[in-house]
Amino acid sequence: MKSLVKLHKEPGIWLKDSPKPEVGHNDLLIKIRKTAICGTDMHIYNWDEWSQKTIPVPMVVGHEYVGEVVDMGQEVTGFKVGDRVSGEGHITCGHCRNCRAGRRHLCRNTEGVGVNRSGAFAEYLTIPAFNAFKIPDNISDELASIFDPFGNAVHTALSFDLVGEDVLITGAGPIGIMAAAVARHVGARHVVITDINPYRLALAEKMGATRAVNVSNTKLEDVVKELGMTEGFDVGLEMSGVPSAFRDMLDKMNHGGKIAMLGIPPSDMAVDWNKVIFKGLVIKGIYGREMFETWYKMASLIQSGLDLKPIITHQFGIDDFQKGFETMGSGESGKVILNWD
Ligand code: NAD
Ligand code: ZN
């Protein structure tokens, strides 16, 4: 089968024939229709320090996808051939304390599709049926293919009550922009998003941010004043992984504010802990998506009118994958989709 493989320990990715994956007793075989390129795939493409430590070579990469069930193991129930599915990319152990308590997103033995095991940038993918999520008919293949990062946005954004609250999002990458759209949809008042990339800030405004602030030329405190916010932000969603953005967030939070942190800093990050203590801030780390509450929320947010379409800015056929990675790397894009059908 056709597949995108990390074949060499150097920058790049290669379109190559791989054997069709074997279907275990509890697995689904999924024929992939569309995949999307994640920031993680860019790290793997660029072969940065993290990838060198993490990614086995050779390996099929990719974890954002939609496809159709074409076969399944003998123990699988609840799915049938022809079901349209995406899937949770974190394969959990099922036997640790958190797994057994139903808190699968906190499993300490998680394996990542397209990170620690064979991924979705291929004509076929197998995953445990447990990890699959059936896509309702009225949700398009395009949107279904980005449920993984949309889930990061939803898990983070819905960590705290947003109704009537003022929300600060640092980082207008695809996930930050989707989080802004979610925050507005569920009833936040001001949704201020920051970045240093004008293309992405414009997209964030189009998708519902009240103010998109370029912190390389505008002071966040001026925007806060303009909006008439006298006390600071109630909820912060850190989605950049940039230490200066997080420090700025701590500075602008109201007392008793709540912060959910998704962005991954490159290394240790110094912050003024006195701000956390004296403001009585609550800080929550976010990894992945809740299984499967976040998935249900994603489907129902779209069914209740959340419009995510503008976040998909580019689509390429799989033979043009190189253009897809270049577009994603340029910063002048939202989500980039690769079509396999
Ligand atoms: P991204 O890299 O596309 O977005 C990060 C954005 O931050 C970029 O648009 C960048 O221009 C912006 N930025 C740079 N400097 C900034 C500054 N000073 N202030 C504000 N913004 C600034 O990434 P993404 O795919 O949208 O993901 C967002 C973050 O979440 C990344 O750090 C990613 O690694 C992380 N992530 C975490 C999980 C998890 O499970 N915890 C899952 C997916 C992604
Ligand atoms: Zn576990």
Side-chain angles (χ1 to χ4, degrees), residues 170-190:
T170 45
I175 300 178
I177 296 175
M178 287 190 276
V182 170
R184 278 314 287 286
H185 185 74
V186 302
R189 182 172 62 172
H190 298 304

Side-chain angles (χ1 to χ4, degrees), residues 152 171 173-175 194-195 200 239-240 242 245 262-264 286-288:
N152 294 133
I175 300 178
T194 65
D195 205 293
R200 287 180 156 181
M239 302 197 147
S240 71
V242 175
L262 179 91
I264 303 172
I286 305 283
Y287 183 48

Side-chain angles (χ1 to χ4, degrees), residues 193-199 201 212-220 223:
I193 190 164
T194 65
D195 205 293
I196 52 172
N197 175 329
Y199 178 99
L201 287 165
V213 182
N214 190 334
V215 287
S216 59
N217 57 33
T218 307
K219 276 201 185 132
L220 192 50
V223 174

Side-chain angles (χ1 to χ4, degrees), residues 77 79 100 156 209 256:
T77 53
F79 287 92
R100 286 172 62 93
T156 315

Side-chain angles (χ1 to χ4, degrees), residues 250 255-256 271-283:
L250 288 179
H255 288 228
V271 299
D272 180 355
W273 287 101
N274 281 325
K275 291 210 170 102
V276 177
I277 295 160
F278 290 110
K279 287 187 175 193
L281 299 179
V282 174
I283 300 182

Side-chain angles (χ1 to χ4, degrees), residues 281-301:
L281 299 179
V282 174
I283 300 182
K284 176 185 177 189
I286 305 283
Y287 183 48
R289 297 141 298 272
E290 286 190 4
M291 294 165 224
F292 282 81
E293 281 303 286
T294 303
W295 291 80
Y296 282 95
K297 297 273 189 188
M298 283 192 268
S300 32
L301 283 165

